[in-house]
Amino acid sequence: MTVLDKEIDISKKIELTHEKNNIKFSFNTNAFNNAENISYKYRLKNYDNTWREIEEAERSVKYLSIPPGNYVFEVFPFYIDEVARTNNKIVSIEVVVNEPFWKTKGFVFMISVLLVLILYGIVTISNKIKIEKKNREISQLLVDKKITALQLENLRSQMNPHFIFNAMNSIQDYIVHNERKLASSYLVKFSRLMRLYLEHSQVSEIFLKEEIETLELYLFLEKIRFETDFEYEIQYDKNLLGSDLKIPSLLLQPFIENAIKHGLSNKKGLKKIKVSFQEKDSFFEIMIDDNGVGRQATQNKENKYKSFATKATAKRVELLNKNYNKNISVTIVDKHDEFSRPTGTTVIIQISNY
């Protein structure tokens, strides 16, 4: 046996690296008087399982560019004037062509983890740079100072370590289970969501189409985390996507995150959240509805915890109404069934002068 025209020892199982995949097998029999009347049949199992007869006067077989895998080369002789029988004595040798190192599970896992860490570092550093830049700008104008600071507080609450940790765990699970396409798809969507958050933190208003795109990404990633126990729906008139309607940036995310983190995470069974956008006569309405455990159960369990992002958003709404000729109202409705048991929460946001 020769590999890349170099003879090798065949007394044991042959193991080759991926680039040494040009192999030649040479063979002969101890039939001195009848060698010219002997032919051979051969095959390379797992590459070509069909028995093939050697061409006349040939005593070798060559394979070019064998892909990585486990193979067995088999050959047996027979007299030309006889019918070739596969029960003749077969000589065989095992050959393994290894995967290149960059296709091994360990390397893919290491690169994926490294990419996640790099992404996390970029997001963290970018967030820090933007906070420092905003802190320099807020010394110029009093109102802009408050608005910008509250935007950044919302951004920090949305890009919290808990969400990033869950996302990295999901990516790691896909890698461990060798689900490379799912890991890649999740990582792409996660990085896009982080980029959208950073972009939205730099402006006071965004188009409704941008808000819906960000919301769909966020809820899609949350659905992967909850798997089959979570359903979401985003309802809107498709004509709104082509309009020039704008809403305050980073306004909805804290309410939706609260609904998932406090209302739905503590609920057993199927968890549902619905976000609807509707244009009415004198205002634009956004409704966030969930079937969670309700605010009272959450407050009792978490010692009357109130989300920092929700407080920051409420203050920001107050400033927008006062200084930017906006009229934004936020109403929170606690839902109950006929037995006064909590069945979830509905947040209604109405924007006039939009």
Side-chain angles (χ1 to χ4, degrees):
M1 178 177 174
T2 59
V3 177
L4 297 178
D5 297 325
K6 182 178 179 181
E7 189 172 333
I8 62 172
D9 179 20
I10 59 172
S11 60
K12 56 184 179 180
K13 177 180 176 181
I14 306 302
E15 190 166 348
L16 305 172
T17 56
H18 72 282
E19 74 276 6
K20 295 182 178 180
N21 58 353
N22 292 346
I23 304 171
K24 181 179 180 181
F25 299 96
S26 300
F27 37 83
N28 207 340
T29 61
N30 295 326
F32 300 105
N33 296 326
N34 297 309
E36 67 277 6
N37 296 320
I38 294 176
S39 188
Y40 300 86
K41 283 206 170 185
Y42 68 93
R43 67 178 178 179
L44 185 60
K45 290 178 67 176
N46 300 329
Y47 179 77
D48 182 3
N49 293 322
T50 303
W51 286 103
R52 301 186 181 280
E53 187 173 339
I54 201 77
E55 293 184 8
E56 187 176 354
E58 288 290 329
R59 294 293 184 270
S60 64
V61 178
K62 192 169 187 178
Y63 294 94
L64 302 176
S65 301
I66 299 176
N70 297 321
Y71 307 100
V72 179
F73 180 75
E74 297 180 332
V75 62
F76 70 86
F78 65 93
Y79 285 105
I80 295 175
D81 57 354
E82 293 182 355
V83 177
R85 299 184 298 274
T86 54
N87 61 354
N88 287 10
K89 183 177 179 180
I90 296 174
V91 178
S92 64
I93 183 170
E94 292 184 52
V95 179
V96 177
V97 180
N98 291 319
E99 291 272 8
F101 75 93
W102 61 83
K103 290 186 178 180
T104 60
K105 293 181 180 178
F107 182 80
V108 173
F109 175 78
M110 179 182 67
I111 292 298
S112 299
V113 171
L114 182 61
L115 287 174
V116 171
L117 293 176
I118 291 174
L119 176 63
Y120 178 78
I122 291 173
V123 171
T124 302
I125 293 172
S126 299
N127 192 29
K128 182 178 179 181
I129 292 173
K130 285 172 174 57
I131 292 173
E132 292 175 350
K133 180 181 178 181
K134 292 298 180 182
N135 286 336
R136 290 192 299 267
E137 293 175 351
I138 59 176
S139 61
Q140 304 300 317
L141 298 171
L142 180 60
V143 174
D144 286 344
K145 170 185 174 181
K146 292 180 180 179
I147 292 291
T148 304
L150 289 168
Q151 280 184 320
L152 291 173
E153 287 166 353
N154 278 338
L155 176 63
R156 285 196 294 271
S157 73
Q158 289 152 23
M159 296 173 64
N160 60 77
H162 177 72
F163 174 70
I164 295 177
F165 179 79
N166 285 333
M168 289 194 297
N169 269 349
S170 298
I171 296 170
Q172 183 178 358
D173 285 342
Y174 288 141
I175 296 171
V176 169
H177 292 91
N178 203 27
E179 296 177 330
R180 302 177 187 176
K181 291 185 178 179
L182 288 176
S184 176
S185 176
Y186 191 102
L187 186 60
V188 169
K189 288 181 172 60
F190 176 71
S191 62
R192 175 162 176 74
L193 181 63
M194 295 298 100
R195 183 172 65 84
L196 288 174
Y197 280 159
L198 290 174
E199 290 177 354
H200 293 176
S201 72
Q202 301 175 49
V203 295
S204 60
E205 292 182 323
I206 59 173
F207 288 106
L208 180 61
K209 179 180 179 180
E210 296 173 311
E211 178 64 45
I212 291 175
E213 179 186 8
T214 304
L215 183 57
E216 285 179 336
L217 270 176
Y218 174 78
L219 291 176
F220 176 81
L221 292 177
E222 289 288 13
K223 179 172 177 60
I224 292 177
R225 183 164 69 90
F226 284 104
E227 296 181 345
T228 57
D229 289 336
F230 181 81
E231 289 183 0
Y232 69 89
E233 180 183 1
I234 303 174
Q235 191 176 75
Y236 55 89
D237 187 342
K238 292 184 179 180
N239 293 328
L240 291 175
L241 297 181
S243 70
D244 57 355
L245 174 62
K246 287 188 174 183
I247 63 174
S249 62
L250 307 178
L251 178 65
L252 305 184
Q253 187 70 22
F255 295 107
I256 295 172
E257 186 176 303
N258 268 357
I260 295 174
K261 183 177 180 182
H262 303 296
L264 297 178
S265 293
N266 297 313
K267 175 183 172 62
K268 294 181 180 179
L270 184 61
K271 306 165 181 61
K272 294 182 179 180
I273 186 169
K274 178 181 177 182
V275 184
S276 60
F277 301 84
Q278 188 174 7
E279 194 172 22
K280 299 193 174 181
D281 292 338
S282 59
F283 59 88
F284 184 73
E285 185 178 90
I286 304 167
M287 187 177 296
I288 303 165
D289 183 81
D290 69 73
N291 70 337
V293 297
R295 288 192 300 168
Q296 184 177 358
T298 303
Q299 289 171 349
N300 292 339
K301 184 176 180 180
E302 300 179 11
N303 193 24
K304 296 184 179 181
Y305 169 86
K306 187 173 183 181
S307 166
F308 173 80
T310 302
K311 291 189 292 184
T313 300
K315 184 64 177 177
R316 181 165 171 242
V317 167
E318 178 185 341
L319 290 171
L320 286 169
N321 288 337
K322 182 178 180 181
N323 298 290
Y324 285 88
N325 194 30
K326 294 287 185 181
N327 188 4
I328 303 174
S329 65
V330 179
T331 305
I332 301 178
V333 179
D334 298 312
K335 301 189 298 181
H336 298 86
D337 61 14
E338 56 184 343
F339 303 106
S340 298
R341 294 174 299 193
T343 58
T345 306
T346 300
V347 177
I348 303 171
I349 303 171
Q350 295 180 341
I351 306 175
S352 301
N353 301 327
Y354 63 93

